[in-house]
Amino acid sequence: MNVAVVMGGYSDESVISLRSGQLILNHINKTKYNSFEIHILKDAWYCLLDGEKFPINKADFSFDKENTTTKFDVILNTVHGTPGEDGHLQAYWELLDIPYSGCNYYQSSLTFNKRDTLSVLSKFDIPKAKSIYISKGDAINPNQIIDELELPFFVKPNQSGSSLGVSKVDKIEDLNKALEFAFAEDNDILIESYLKGREVSVGVLKYKGETKVLGITEILSQNNFFDYEAKYLGKSEEITPAKLDLEIENKVIETAKKVYEALGMSGFSRTDFIIMNDVPHFIEINTNPGLSPQSIFPQQATFAKIEMIDLLDNEIELALKRKPIWKK
């Protein structure tokens, strides 16, 4: 079976995605699958094979080598950000009728949009921060923001990952700089109230027919919050398993499962919460979590005593079972 391990992307997260793809290539079951390293970058789509680049034919997502065309039976998608985490590639593969890992194009698009995700979860009584939604060009009243959210608060791009474009605003004089930083990533932003508490990240997936929590990791950032530098450049301590009281741990587990199922998820995910007053408050969900050796999801898999080779087998089996939406 030919498996395309797709990595890269068009955002600043591409470097993380390339590391995630390498981990998959290193751990996929080589006795069951022929794996191919596929790079999707702004300037080129290609298969990297024996150090040579073979362009991907976008008409059918295949490539040619020595007059032989290679097509794929299934795709393992580890593109963080756009176009692999926001539904674009998923919709493309749906039309080509190629099975792929993770959630479908609608769930990918939904969960990449922070505002829409919060709107859906509000129907399920999931605790979360207060928020204000603003588009580029809107009139902004700093005093109104303070009245509604109080200081400090967070300014975030509506559609972005890895904390890119996120700022914590401690004094109103910093607002304009935070807005510029966020608008550089997206034309729509969220301004959210500050939740004071312990930050945890929870790996959730469909495994052997059940919604399973791999583990809970507590994040102790050396920076002002869990930003890009803290996530990927060693500026944080990540404790797996998080040292939580049993009652709070069970609340986190049940809330993480509830979020996963309410959003119609499939495949790997990582959901972030702030535990404030013993209640887990939803921050965001990542449907293509990082899989580099430094990433949280592999740490949680180790804690759960599930080998990555088995997790990847499970992902491929789920992908092959799922029918494209247009065939249902």
Side-chain angles (χ1 to χ4, degrees), residues 34-106:
N34 299 315
S35 58
F36 295 85
E37 181 174 344
I38 308 299
H39 290 215
I40 291 183
L41 305 170
K42 281 183 179 179
D43 56 352
W45 291 21
Y46 57 86
C47 176
L48 187 62
L49 191 60
D50 299 325
E52 191 173 351
K53 298 176 181 178
F54 297 90
I56 293 292
N57 181 351
K58 294 181 182 179
D60 60 2
F61 203 68
S62 66
F63 73 92
D64 294 329
K65 179 186 178 186
E66 297 174 354
N67 298 319
T68 299
T69 298
T70 297
K71 295 187 177 182
F72 303 108
D73 300 295
V74 65
I75 293 163
L76 284 174
N77 172 29
T78 186
V79 174
H80 310 321
T82 190
E85 199 169 4
D86 56 6
H88 293 146
L89 281 176
Q90 289 88 341
Y92 163 68
W93 291 323
E94 288 262 348
L95 291 174
L96 294 178
D97 199 11
I98 306 174
Y100 57 87
S101 64
C103 53
N104 66 35
Y105 72 86
Y106 172 73

Side-chain angles (χ1 to χ4, degrees), residues 2 30 35 37 60 67 90 119 122 125 141 172 180 183 200 229-230 262 270 277 281 296 313:
N2 288 341
K30 295 176 177 61
S35 58
E37 181 174 344
D60 60 2
N67 298 319
Q90 289 88 341
S119 178
S122 67
D125 298 322
N141 185 332
I172 202 62
E180 289 177 9
F183 277 131
V200 294
E229 189 179 49
R270 200 193 73 241
N277 300 326
H281 288 64
I296 290 171
D313 273 358

Side-chain angles (χ1 to χ4, degrees), residues 1 3 28-29 33 74-76 99 101 311-321:
M1 185 177 293
V3 179
I28 195 168
N29 190 331
Y33 311 114
V74 65
I75 293 163
L76 284 174
S101 64
L311 290 176
L312 295 174
D313 273 358
N314 185 73
E315 283 294 280
I316 290 170
E317 289 168 10
L318 284 174
L320 293 171
K321 287 177 183 176

Side-chain angles (χ1 to χ4, degrees), residues 215-231:
I216 304 171
T217 299
E218 181 166 11
I219 310 297
L220 300 175
S221 176
Q222 296 173 22
N223 293 348
N224 203 16
F225 64 97
F226 195 41
D227 59 7
Y228 184 93
E229 189 179 49
K231 284 183 177 179

